Amino acid sequence: MSRWVGPAFLAAGAVNIIGMLMISRGFTNDVLTFADPVVFSVFGQAMILVWGLAYVAVARSWALVPWLCLVFFIEKLFYVGAWIVWWWNSADQFSSILEQDSLTAVFIAGYGINDLAFGLLFLYAFVLARRGA
């Protein structure tokens, strides 16, 4: 079994938890909520923390829960899809977001790529766990 998968789950959790708390400034970042009020409503931000807690919770036992790894992969695909849709429909808002809050703009620019990377991690974990590696 790959020794780096468990620590990568911890990293995914840390990115979700610490990253969201920083970007949202403790759920007070109106620029983030305005940029995407569906994905980044205060409720949506809290759910991102919950997903992060789930990744941390299975970091040591991911190989025992392959189907949960697949669920994590699917969840990340939804966020990647939401990011693509946002860029498709709202790219014209990006310069305004950048002017208002550069950190939020950097987050908006890259969260889909980050979610894709962690999604591929979860897919890899699913494959490894199903093989019993």
Side-chain angles (χ1 to χ4, degrees):
M1 230 172 285
S2 184
R3 291 180 167 228
W4 61 269
V5 174
F9 270 72
L10 292 174
V15 167
N16 269 43
I17 297 164
I18 296 167
M20 184 49 56
L21 287 173
M22 287 177 51
I23 293 298
S24 73
R25 294 181 188 88
F27 307 112
T28 64
N29 184 346
D30 293 333
V31 176
L32 179 62
T33 303
F34 180 77
D36 193 334
V38 174
V39 175
F40 298 117
S41 66
V42 172
F43 179 81
Q45 294 170 39
M47 290 301 95
I48 290 168
L49 295 181
V50 171
W51 282 110
L53 291 170
Y55 309 150
V56 170
V58 299
R60 292 186 180 195
S61 59
W62 62 270
L64 301 174
V65 289
W67 295 104
L68 185 56
C69 295
L70 185 63
V71 168
F72 291 163
F73 168 69
I74 293 166
E75 172 257 339
K76 286 299 187 186
L77 286 184
F78 274 91
Y79 280 98
V80 171
W83 180 71
I84 291 168
V85 168
W86 188 89
W87 278 104
W88 186 264
N89 294 326
S90 306
D92 59 327
Q93 295 178 28
F94 187 74
S95 61
S96 173
I97 294 167
L98 183 60
E99 289 174 15
Q100 294 175 63
D101 186 344
S102 59
L103 187 59
T104 298
V106 169
F107 173 77
I108 293 289
Y111 87 82
I113 296 165
N114 176 74
D115 283 344
L116 178 60
F118 282 119
L120 293 173
L121 160 72
F122 298 140
L123 180 60
Y124 178 70
F126 167 74
V127 170
L128 280 181
R130 288 291 293 161
R131 287 184 183 162

